[in-house]
Amino acid sequence: MVNELIYLDNAATSWRKPETVYHAVDKALREQCGNPGRAGHRFAVSAGRVLDDARLFCTRLFNAEKPEQIVFTANATIAVNLVLKGILNSGDHVITSSLEHNAVVRPLHRLEQRIISVSKIPADIDYGIRTDLLEQTVTAKTKLIICNHISNVFGTVNDINRIGQFCRERGILFAVDAAQSAGCRNIDVQAMGIDFLIFSGHKSLFGPQGTGGLYLRPGLQLETIIEGGTGSRSELLEQPESLPDHLESGTPNTPGLAGLTAGIRFILETGIDVIAAKETQLVNRLLTGLAEIPGIRIIAPKPKFERGCIVSVQLKKFSPEQAASILDSSFGIAVRSGFHCAADAHRSMNTLENGGTLRISPNYFNENQHIDACLDALQKLS
Ligand SMILES: Cc1ncc(COP(=O)(O)O)c(C=O)c1O
């Protein structure tokens, strides 16, 4: 049954994964699942190696300076919270965009109610964040700019290089939410001037759910929002200052991180450019087909603009929720409907009414026939 599913909801979490990911998780659970860093026996040591490998592969993928700069979390949301709550103090000003996921919007809103001020720069569906507005938005108190790399609603790509350069020139910290780009776009934290890179492990990195993390530029430190056992300096009352232990308390997700390593290994062996090219071909096929169906409004960057593998649409005859439900029950096609945890983004593109959008997000493991089946089904609903 599951083999017949046409899965086009990869922006939420990816499926399928490379075969090696399934094997790695299974192997870790059976053969490497001691508590890493907590004992000297062989089982704990082999679990420690799983974590070391995962850090090493993230370091390579993002061109981080050294593995200790990679901190693992259960998802991107926790990584965002670590950054915002660990770096912002009373009176700080933060710049963000109108296209952000609630993982960024909500913690910022909470902090704004208590200690900081926030400016949201409008975004254009084709170009992303209006970088021309950055200069006039900065104040003497601006400490951080945080934005996503690729919008999870519209697939809009933000000009990370430009924003990174802007931050560097002004001594402002730059945090990138790469939940939708890590694994399918080249990210070089050093070349792009990124101080904090936030990633989900379970989307384009092909890891299991329960994986994600954070890169911090060397020299930066965050106040902890969680303290506890780290397997290191256990005699101290204080949380160790050294990374990654400072920000990684409690038993880590060893099987998940084994899967994440296998996912990143697959990406590095396949080539990000190859993955991106296949996704672009699929999304272009989807957009070309959608444009020929009457009664569908496409909300995505125009064809000549760079885009992620994510397309939002609205149908004349059905709400997004109704359409997604029919696609699932009558056609075996999994897509997502609603606000995609990003009401701000919908507000900015006038898609908040009528229940948000129907979001179609293929990935590298989809084929043309999946796109065509989706187009056929949408044709019948239009
Ligand atoms: C742009 C963006 N940021 C953050 C998140 C949150 O990711 P996670 O579910 O790994 O916490 C998502 C998830 O969809 C996302 O698309």
Side-chain angles (χ1 to χ4, degrees):
M1 183 58 184
V2 82
N3 283 332
E4 289 156 22
L5 178 70
I6 295 178
Y7 187 80
L8 298 171
D9 192 18
N10 291 283
T13 198
S14 60
W15 184 85
R16 306 181 155 84
K17 318 275 188 192
E19 274 306 305
T20 47
V21 171
Y22 303 112
H23 291 307
V25 174
D26 186 75
K27 180 173 181 216
L29 272 172
R30 290 177 199 280
E31 298 171 22
Q32 303 165 303
C33 218
N35 206 326
R38 270 65 167 181
H41 59 73
R42 68 194 73 177
F43 219 46
V45 170
S46 66
R49 277 198 208 106
V50 170
L51 259 68
D52 291 346
D53 279 352
R55 248 182 266 287
L56 212 56
F57 272 82
C58 288
T59 306
R60 277 176 60 195
L61 184 70
F62 301 130
N63 193 29
E65 293 81 356
K66 43 193 170 97
E68 303 83 85
Q69 303 311 124
I70 305 290
V71 169
F72 290 118
T73 59
N75 48 48
T77 302
I78 293 179
V80 174
N81 275 268
L82 287 181
V83 173
L84 296 180
K85 293 171 183 168
I87 200 83
L88 295 173
N89 297 309
S90 189
D92 287 340
H93 174 241
V94 176
I95 297 176
T96 189
S97 88
S98 61
L99 269 193
E100 301 307 311
H101 188 277
N102 279 345
V104 170
V105 175
R106 284 182 170 165
L108 273 182
H109 178 66
R110 179 90 180 109
L111 287 164
E112 190 180 17
Q113 286 176 322
R114 298 162 77 189
I115 57 168
I116 64 164
S117 58
V118 177
S119 300
K120 290 182 185 174
I121 295 193
D124 179 273
I125 191 128
D126 295 324
Y127 293 99
I129 292 184
R130 294 269 313 273
T131 48
D132 56 315
L133 299 178
L134 281 172
E135 191 68 66
Q136 67 192 65
T137 313
V138 167
T139 74
K141 303 214 156 154
T142 307
K143 184 167 197 179
L144 177 78
I145 296 183
I146 182 165
C147 66
N148 61 47
H149 189 178
I150 297 182
S151 159
N152 65 306
V153 183
F154 308 113
T156 302
V157 181
N158 283 315
D159 192 345
I160 294 306
N161 277 305
R162 178 127 180 241
I163 304 170
Q165 191 185 348
F166 179 88
C167 287
R168 254 191 318 233
E169 286 165 4
R170 286 158 190 79
I172 297 168
L173 294 169
F174 184 34
V176 176
D177 170 1
Q180 295 296 344
S181 59
C184 60
R185 281 290 181 288
N186 284 305
I187 298 177
D188 180 328
V189 288
Q190 299 186 59
M192 292 170 150
I194 297 172
D195 295 299
F196 303 105
L197 183 82
I198 292 135
F199 56 92
S200 291
H202 59 100
K203 299 182 195 273
S204 292
L205 292 177
F206 299 129
Q209 293 174 11
T211 58
L214 170 67
Y215 153 84
L216 300 84
R217 183 168 56 77
L220 291 174
Q221 186 58 297
L222 295 170
E223 284 292 326
T224 52
I225 56 171
I226 296 166
E227 299 86 26
T230 57
S232 58
R233 305 307 312 268
S234 297
E235 74 284 7
L236 298 179
L237 285 176
E238 291 81 21
Q239 186 79 0
E241 279 299 315
S242 59
L243 287 173
D245 297 8
H246 186 64
L247 299 170
E248 276 183 6
S249 293
T251 301
N253 179 1
T254 305
L257 293 172
L260 179 63
T261 300
I264 298 177
R265 191 191 288 274
F266 174 87
I267 291 162
L268 292 172
E269 284 171 3
T270 307
I272 289 201
D273 292 341
V274 172
I275 291 172
K278 166 112 187 252
E279 291 191 351
T280 301
Q281 181 267 319
L282 291 171
V283 85
N284 285 345
R285 188 180 184 96
L286 177 63
L287 283 165
T288 307
L290 286 170
E292 286 165 12
I293 304 176
I296 288 199
R297 177 185 169 210
I298 303 170
I299 311 118
K302 287 186 213 61
K304 69 172 184 173
F305 291 92
E306 200 192 345
R307 68 180 72 252
C309 202
I310 297 167
V311 175
S312 259
V313 296
Q314 287 179 329
L315 279 67
K316 244 197 196 121
K317 291 194 185 156
F318 295 95
S319 72
E321 194 183 348
Q322 287 169 331
S325 168
I326 299 169
L327 286 176
D328 180 35
S329 57
S330 303
F331 298 94
I333 298 172
V335 294
R336 181 166 171 188
S337 64
F339 302 119
H340 322 298
C341 296
D344 259 6
H346 287 281
R347 220 169 271 120
S348 70
M349 299 298 162
N350 296 318
T351 50
L352 201 57
E353 289 79 35
N354 308 320
T357 60
L358 188 75
R359 184 182 72 180
I360 307 163
S361 54
N363 83 350
Y364 181 75
F365 288 102
N366 286 115
E367 300 300 339
N368 286 340
Q369 74 239 36
H370 300 145
I371 304 298
D372 295 348
C374 182
L375 289 168
D376 279 352
L378 287 171
Q379 180 87 53
K380 292 190 176 101
L381 297 190
S382 73

